[in-house]
Amino acid sequence: VNMPNLMSHLKKVAEQKPQATYYNVDMIKYQVSADGIQSTPLNLAVSWRGDATNTDLRIDYKYNTEAMAAPVPLHNIHFLVPVDGGIAKLQAMIPPATWNPEQQTIQWKLSSLSHRSENGGVGALLGRFQMIEGPCKPSQLAVQFTSEGSTLSGCDIQLVGTGYRLSLVKKRFAAGKYLADN
């Protein structure tokens, strides 16, 4: 850490927010690429089945404690899937989901997921669609989530030396490009 640069930055922040009792500074930001299913915090399997009139979509998910330095819950999990083929009727969505007719997408939202969740963080999302112009072509599932309190890499930070201290170290990760295919 270049301490003179850090002090200069903190002085600027203090001038902008003189009433604040502390200041947050991002020290390290980095990207992690998955190295197989064992390194992803949320394992996914997507399957599509259908004919000219009906399409079934199933998304199996599993919370993976092995992917994190310390297992922490995933939050604000959004599963988004485009569904083509002209949806005439949504026959079932388990658990309930949101259908966007303009974008032809279905979205499920889970508030949190961990190894302490129901069934140990293992579950499935199901959608059944009645088609006008079927069959539906399988499309890519996009997932977003955040997590705080751990990292995927095990990276940690500490200051060595006298005169400075870290009062709080926040660890978090977020899904950037998290995709699954059939």
Side-chain angles (χ1 to χ4, degrees), residues 29-82:
K29 286 186 179 185
Y30 59 95
Q31 293 182 350
V32 175
S33 296
D35 187 24
I37 195 166
Q38 73 279 0
S39 68
T40 58
L42 184 61
N43 297 159
L44 302 166
V46 181
S47 60
W48 295 82
R49 286 185 300 154
D51 54 32
T53 57
N54 291 297
T55 294
D56 292 328
L57 167 62
R58 179 182 176 104
I59 303 166
D60 292 293
Y61 61 86
K62 179 184 177 212
Y63 176 83
N64 181 14
T65 59
E66 304 300 317
M68 293 165 267
V72 293
L74 305 178
H75 297 290
N76 301 316
I77 308 154
H78 294 225
F79 300 83
L80 183 68
V81 186

Side-chain angles (χ1 to χ4, degrees), residues 4 10 31 47 53-55 57 63 66 74 87 99 101 112 119 130 135 145 155 167 173:
L10 289 172
Q31 293 182 350
S47 60
T53 57
N54 291 297
T55 294
L57 167 62
Y63 176 83
E66 304 300 317
L74 305 178
I87 304 297
W99 172 251
S112 66
N119 298 322
Q130 188 177 17
F145 54 82
C155 179
S167 59
F173 61 87

Side-chain angles (χ1 to χ4, degrees), residues 2-146:
N2 183 321
M3 293 312 283
N5 283 352
L6 177 59
M7 294 305 295
S8 173
H9 175 74
L10 289 172
K11 284 179 185 176
K12 286 179 192 173
V13 172
E15 290 168 2
Q16 294 169 353
K17 299 178 184 177
Q19 71 283 1
T21 57
Y22 65 92
Y23 309 101
N24 291 326
V25 177
D26 290 336
M27 299 295 286
I28 298 175
K29 286 186 179 185
Y30 59 95
Q31 293 182 350
V32 175
S33 296
D35 187 24
I37 195 166
Q38 73 279 0
S39 68
T40 58
L42 184 61
N43 297 159
L44 302 166
V46 181
S47 60
W48 295 82
R49 286 185 300 154
D51 54 32
T53 57
N54 291 297
T55 294
D56 292 328
L57 167 62
R58 179 182 176 104
I59 303 166
D60 292 293
Y61 61 86
K62 179 184 177 212
Y63 176 83
N64 181 14
T65 59
E66 304 300 317
M68 293 165 267
V72 293
L74 305 178
H75 297 290
N76 301 316
I77 308 154
H78 294 225
F79 300 83
L80 183 68
V81 186
V83 182
D84 69 359
I87 304 297
K89 181 180 173 186
L90 293 171
Q91 294 177 319
M93 294 181 291
I94 302 170
T98 303
W99 172 251
N100 183 324
E102 292 81 33
Q103 296 180 352
Q104 296 284 293
T105 58
I106 186 168
Q107 181 178 47
W108 284 273
K109 295 179 183 179
L110 301 178
S111 59
S112 66
L113 185 68
S114 77
H115 61 288
R116 292 190 175 100
S117 298
E118 186 177 343
N119 298 322
V122 176
L125 309 173
L126 307 169
R128 171 165 264 205
F129 312 94
Q130 188 177 17
M131 311 303 289
I132 296 172
E133 305 162 11
C136 176
K137 295 182 200 107
S139 60
Q140 200 169 54
L141 162 68
V143 182
Q144 292 183 320
F145 54 82
T146 61

Side-chain angles (χ1 to χ4, degrees), residues 156-175:
D156 207 350
I157 185 171
Q158 65 180 7
L159 288 180
V160 178
T162 58
Y164 301 100
R165 67 179 177 85
L166 295 174
S167 59
L168 175 67
V169 175
K170 285 187 177 183
K171 299 176 184 178
R172 72 180 295 263
F173 61 87

